[in-house]
Amino acid sequence: MNDQLRQPVAPDMVHANIIGGQDVEASDGDLLDVLSPADGLLLARIASGTARDVDAAVKAARAAFEGAWGRLTATERGRLLIKLAHAVEADVETLTLLETRDVGKPLAQSRADVTGLARYLEYYGTAADKLHGDVIPYLGTHFVGVERVPFGVTGHIVPWNYPMQIFGRSVGAALAAGNATVVKPAEDASLTILRVAKLARDVGFPQGALNVVTGLGRTAGAALTSHPGIDFISFTGSPETGTAVQTAAAQNHVGVTLELGGKSAQVVFDDADIERALPVLVNAIIQNGGQTCSAGSRLLIQRGIFDDVVNAVAARFKALRAGHPERSPDLGPMINQAQQRRVEKYLEKARQDGLTVAGEGGIAADAPSGGYYVPATFLAPVPHESTLSQDEVFGPVLVATPFDDEAEAIRLANGTAYGLVASVWTRDAMRATRVGRSMRAGQVFVNCYGAGGGIELPFGGFGKSGHGREKGFEGLVEFTTTRTLVIAHG
Ligand code: NAD
């Protein structure tokens, strides 16, 4: 262990849970170390939440739902969310730096995530009083109204890759719909969520509307997803944990949305505008060091242009540097040592299997030696059936596979267990539409990828990528259910 890791942490670097609007230490006083991905040194300590802490948070949320929070009108809830959006915007510098130190994102990426959070809060804040039900024509003697109502208390398990954005799309929507919330951030990415919960307290959210319990997935996370007081669960993370979460939810007969990642294909036809495509093809995998559920991790390239596109992408990869996230690198470190090892193991296996590395970036000379850096790596050609074409690596690793015609492109693009995002690059509008509508993916982009952040666009998967939709107005509806009122009047 590095010497600095043994040094005591300053008190303001120790973070408690936020339960019922109060800072509350873990019930058994335990803390978890938070290490900086940039250098592996101790950054802070967070409460290691227990089942008792989760229970207290669920009770605080229930009291809020049945009390001050539940009594607010939709307009009042929306105004609070908009106030929180403004508070986040005003705090952008601090949140950006904190996010970069906590999760290793380059500053520009952290800033985009923080402004994305503010936009989610604005979007759902302004949508809160536009969510309404229906009137159904029924018997002549009866009036039927269908209300959209919140579930009650919702649980949110947030991963480490985009804590700000995922908090915004999940917790922002749940609050706008009128639910009281309990959030379990990832153990590697709790600091900005704790800070935003404090901002919510400052702008006047009633106590208990937004509770945060930090800690390990197998303790705090499992306690939250199995708690009988939770009425709905939103989970983003790995498929394995998603199965555990859905199993726990089933015991309590509550619904879940699962967003579990992908192996998204970028399909490049021989009539595509390659110059326009190139930076987008590379960024779709390099953004956030490839630790993105919607990363474009597979290139499918029509055979006639395969070598040219591979060479051009390889040249760009060779120029990429992983480096200290506060020094504007092309990509930052992986979130932790386990993730770094996971990516390295995939690359070791690929080399053992004889796959060709077409282009490999480097690690910046001034990157701290204790950080979790992995060079961006592009392999081509890679057979469609290989592990690297089928598994979500969750790192800066891109593979390319050739295809001959449209039918093969569609078969390969849809040929993994996942189905989250796809892109189609072509100048032929009819082909773009035909192929786009054949993709088994929740979002399909034509001549672009992930354009604009997509706060307004429904997002979610097919198959192993999960189910349910977040983002957009559909994401708001997802946090409600209906109550049908039948009134006899004659
Ligand atoms: P994970 O699924 O284990 O963790 C995600 C969240 O779930 C964290 O908050 C964690 O504390 C919590 N959790 C873990 N076990 C739990 C349980 N039994 N009950 C309830 N909550 C639990 O993901 P990870 O270990 O951080 O990463 C492993 C892999 O998952 C990555 O390599 C990547 O492939 C994938 N991943 C995907 C996404 C995504 O956005 N789809 C995000 C993060 C990780």
Side-chain angles (χ1 to χ4, degrees):
M1 195 196 253
N2 187 306
D3 269 354
Q4 271 176 277
L5 292 185
R6 298 203 194 93
Q7 289 177 6
V9 195
D12 66 343
M13 294 307 279
V14 177
H15 299 270
N17 294 318
I18 298 179
I19 299 175
Q22 311 299 318
D23 292 9
V24 183
E25 283 181 17
S27 61
D28 59 9
D30 271 5
L31 293 168
L32 297 176
D33 287 351
V34 177
L35 305 185
S36 155
D39 54 22
L41 300 180
L42 186 62
L43 179 68
R45 285 190 173 135
I46 55 171
S48 182
T50 63
R52 265 201 291 166
D53 300 322
V54 168
D55 187 54
V58 174
K59 286 186 173 134
R62 180 66 58 192
F65 181 70
E66 290 173 356
W69 176 246
R71 281 195 295 273
L72 293 184
T73 63
T75 309
E76 289 165 334
R77 289 197 306 270
R79 283 192 187 130
L80 275 174
L81 283 161
I82 293 164
K83 273 191 184 177
L84 182 56
H86 292 155
V88 167
E89 277 166 355
D91 199 42
V92 64
E93 297 305 327
T94 306
L95 281 169
T96 295
L97 193 56
L98 192 60
E99 191 74 321
T100 285
R101 297 217 163 133
D102 196 16
V103 305
K105 285 169 192 268
L107 287 168
Q109 173 82 65
S110 294
R111 186 176 298 275
D113 285 7
V114 175
T115 49
L117 165 62
R119 174 73 187 117
Y120 274 115
L121 295 170
E122 179 191 43
Y123 179 87
Y124 286 119
T126 52
D129 59 5
K130 281 115 198 139
L131 178 68
H132 51 71
D134 253 325
V135 172
I136 296 181
Y138 196 49
L139 307 173
T141 49
H142 294 66
F143 173 89
V144 177
V146 182
E147 268 186 287
R148 280 259 149 225
V149 293
F151 288 107
V153 176
T154 52
H156 304 258
I157 306 280
V158 182
W160 42 259
N161 56 340
Y162 286 84
M164 290 285 81
Q165 292 208 37
I166 292 170
F167 177 92
R169 76 190 195 200
S170 171
V171 183
L175 288 169
N179 300 282
T181 57
V182 181
V183 186
K184 210 299 280 175
E187 38 277 52
D188 286 311
S190 298
L191 302 187
T192 50
I193 288 179
L194 286 167
R195 189 170 173 90
V196 171
K198 287 181 182 165
L199 293 177
R201 185 165 69 187
D202 295 347
V203 301
F205 271 76
Q207 289 183 358
L210 167 55
N211 306 277
V212 182
V213 179
T214 58
L216 297 172
R218 64 175 179 273
T219 50
L224 180 59
T225 52
S226 62
H227 197 291
I230 291 290
D231 301 310
F232 187 81
I233 298 167
S234 160
F235 172 79
T236 304
S238 63
E240 299 71 27
T241 308
T243 302
V245 168
Q246 184 155 10
T247 304
Q251 301 303 316
N252 292 322
H253 312 287
V254 299
V256 290
T257 53
L258 299 180
E259 201 275 86
L260 308 176
K263 192 71 188 176
S264 299
Q266 311 191 68
V267 183
V268 186
F269 285 95
D270 59 11
D271 65 343
D273 180 344
I274 300 300
E275 284 314 306
R276 178 187 165 125
L278 276 173
V280 182
L281 298 179
V282 174
N283 190 54
I285 180 66
I286 290 310
Q287 179 175 311
N288 207 34
Q291 302 168 117
T292 303
C293 47
S294 55
S297 50
R298 288 188 296 147
L299 278 188
L300 304 178
I301 306 169
Q302 200 153 17
R303 199 173 298 278
I305 58 166
F306 186 78
D307 289 344
D308 287 349
V309 176
V310 164
N311 289 338
V313 171
R316 286 175 182 258
F317 262 69
K318 285 175 190 164
L320 294 171
R321 291 291 169 273
H324 195 293
E326 291 173 50
R327 296 178 197 145
S328 301
D330 299 310
L331 57 152
M334 300 290 96
I335 183 76
N336 55 31
Q337 200 166 36
Q339 192 66 18
Q340 180 191 32
R341 277 305 297 146
R342 175 188 157 100
V343 179
E344 286 170 351
K345 273 193 192 161
Y346 271 110
L347 291 172
E348 282 158 21
K349 181 171 182 332
R351 287 189 164 100
Q352 282 161 13
D353 291 349
L355 296 179
T356 307
V357 174
E360 186 180 24
I363 295 174
D366 61 355
S369 58
Y372 312 126
Y373 301 95
V374 176
T377 309
F378 175 44
L379 299 103
V382 174
H384 172 67
E385 298 71 26
S386 71
T387 306
L388 219 49
S389 287
Q390 295 292 321
D391 281 17
E392 184 184 46
V393 176
F394 230 59
V397 179
L398 179 65
V399 299
T401 307
F403 67 85
D404 286 308
D405 55 20
E406 214 175 283
E408 190 181 17
I410 293 168
R411 183 178 66 75
L412 297 182
N414 291 340
T416 75
Y418 293 98
L420 193 56
V421 174
S423 77
V424 184
W425 293 85
T426 176
R427 286 190 171 96
D428 179 338
M430 288 175 73
R431 173 152 70 187
T433 312
R434 219 168 34 237
V435 176
R437 295 190 69 208
S438 306
M439 293 289 115
R440 185 174 169 269
Q443 286 189 340
V444 183
F445 294 92
V446 174
N447 296 329
C448 60
Y449 197 92
I455 282 150
E456 304 83 353
L457 315 180
F459 179 72
F462 287 65
K464 198 174 170 182
S465 290
H467 53 76
R469 292 292 178 263
E470 292 192 319
K471 303 190 178 188
F473 204 77
E474 202 158 329
L476 182 59
V477 175
E478 197 87 3
F479 283 103
T480 65
T481 185
T482 58
R483 177 167 49 223
T484 301
L485 194 64
V486 183
I487 304 171
H489 55 72

